């Protein structure tokens, strides 16, 4: 499980705090609000039990920044209340997952949310495209979302064990600034 986090909103395995007592989270985020200052260029992922997974995420294109206004939703609160985001000025977030098993297929689940905070309802659809040995795309309108996720199954890595994850505003996005979001991602073997 990967939390695309905002500074100070990391999701921790901490049974005393009750955040997520049974799972280790991979927190990937900048040290500064609204830009990617201090973002590590890659992160070696751990399994939920804390052992190395052999999978690394490498950032290739960054969006606008990180924010703290997500909706508590499908995972522990801190994982869904913060996000990375892009807009018309920075229209893509892209990263590569390396170290995948070429003979296996994977399921990727993306969650995205943004609180409405009394704003005019609009569609902030986000497109999640995964490209490796095959290409698949799912979309999700995250404005006010508290329970829906975009799930892509049957993901095949390329011959080198890599997939590229490309996140941008979806075709149905009607937000004048083109905001789109990424709160968390889960990768699992099928």
């Amino acid at each position: 499980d990967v939390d695309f986090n905002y500074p100070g909103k990391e999701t921790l395995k901490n049974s005393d705090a009750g955040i997520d007592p049974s799972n280790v989270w991979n927190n990937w985020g900048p040290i500064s609000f609204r830009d990617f200052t201090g973002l590590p260029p890659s992160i070696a992922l751990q399994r939920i039990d804390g052992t190395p997974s052999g999978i690394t995420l490498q950032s290739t294109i960054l969006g606008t920044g990180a924010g703290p206004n997500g909706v508590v939703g499908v995972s522990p609160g801190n994982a869904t209340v913060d996000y990375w985001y892009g807009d018309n000025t920075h229209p893509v977030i892209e990263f590569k997952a390396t170290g995948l098993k070429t003979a296996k297929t994977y399921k990727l689940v993306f969650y995205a949310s943004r609180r409405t905070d009394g704003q005019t309802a609009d569609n902030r659809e986000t497109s999640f495209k995964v490209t490796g040995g095959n290409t698949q795309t799912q979309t999700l309108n995250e404005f006010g979302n508290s329970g829906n996720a975009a799930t892509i199954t049957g993901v095949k890595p390329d011959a080198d064990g890599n997939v590229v994850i490309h996140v941008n505003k979806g075709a149905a996005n009607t937000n004048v600034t083109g905001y789109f979001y990424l709160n968390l991602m889960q990768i699992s073997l099928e």
Side-chain angles (χ1 to χ4, degrees):
D1 296 348
V2 181
D3 177 6
F4 295 89
N5 63 282
Y6 172 81
K9 294 286 188 185
E10 294 83 5
T11 301
L12 307 174
K13 178 181 178 177
N14 186 336
S15 56
D16 294 331
I19 296 171
D20 190 359
S22 59
N23 297 324
V24 169
W25 280 80
N26 298 281
N27 292 282
W28 196 18
I31 59 171
S32 159
F33 173 60
R34 292 197 186 262
D35 66 24
F36 285 101
T37 301
L39 177 74
S42 64
I43 180 174
L45 301 183
Q46 296 179 342
R47 293 183 182 92
I48 60 173
D49 66 2
T51 60
S53 71
I55 299 171
T56 298
L57 297 182
Q58 301 171 346
S59 62
T60 54
I61 302 173
L62 297 174
T64 305
N69 299 313
V71 176
V72 174
V74 296
S75 286
N78 281 5
T80 60
V81 299
D82 56 355
Y83 49 77
W84 289 6
Y85 70 98
D87 56 29
N88 293 332
T89 304
H90 298 94
V92 174
I93 297 170
E94 187 177 272
F95 49 95
K96 179 167 56 170
T98 66
L100 301 169
K101 297 177 179 166
T102 57
K104 302 286 184 177
T105 59
Y106 292 82
K107 176 171 90 170
L108 278 71
V109 178
F110 300 94
Y111 178 78
S113 74
R114 172 63 165 87
R115 289 192 323 245
T116 57
D117 292 336
Q119 300 175 37
T120 303
D122 58 7
N123 186 321
R124 297 187 184 187
E125 181 182 80
T126 298
S127 173
F128 304 95
K129 181 169 101 174
V130 180
T131 303
N134 58 352
T135 299
Q136 297 185 63
T137 304
Q138 286 287 334
T139 60
L140 177 66
N141 179 11
E142 69 282 329
F143 194 58
N145 180 32
S146 64
N148 296 318
T151 301
I152 300 176
T153 59
V155 173
K156 297 176 185 177
D158 66 17
D160 295 321
N162 304 323
V163 297
V164 173
I165 295 108
H166 183 95
V167 183
N168 62 290
K169 74 178 188 178
N173 187 314
T174 60
N175 180 264
V176 68
T177 308
Y179 286 130
F180 63 94
Y181 306 89
L182 172 61
N183 300 60
L184 69 87
M185 178 182 71
Q186 298 171 317
I187 301 174
S188 58
L189 279 168
E190 290 187 310

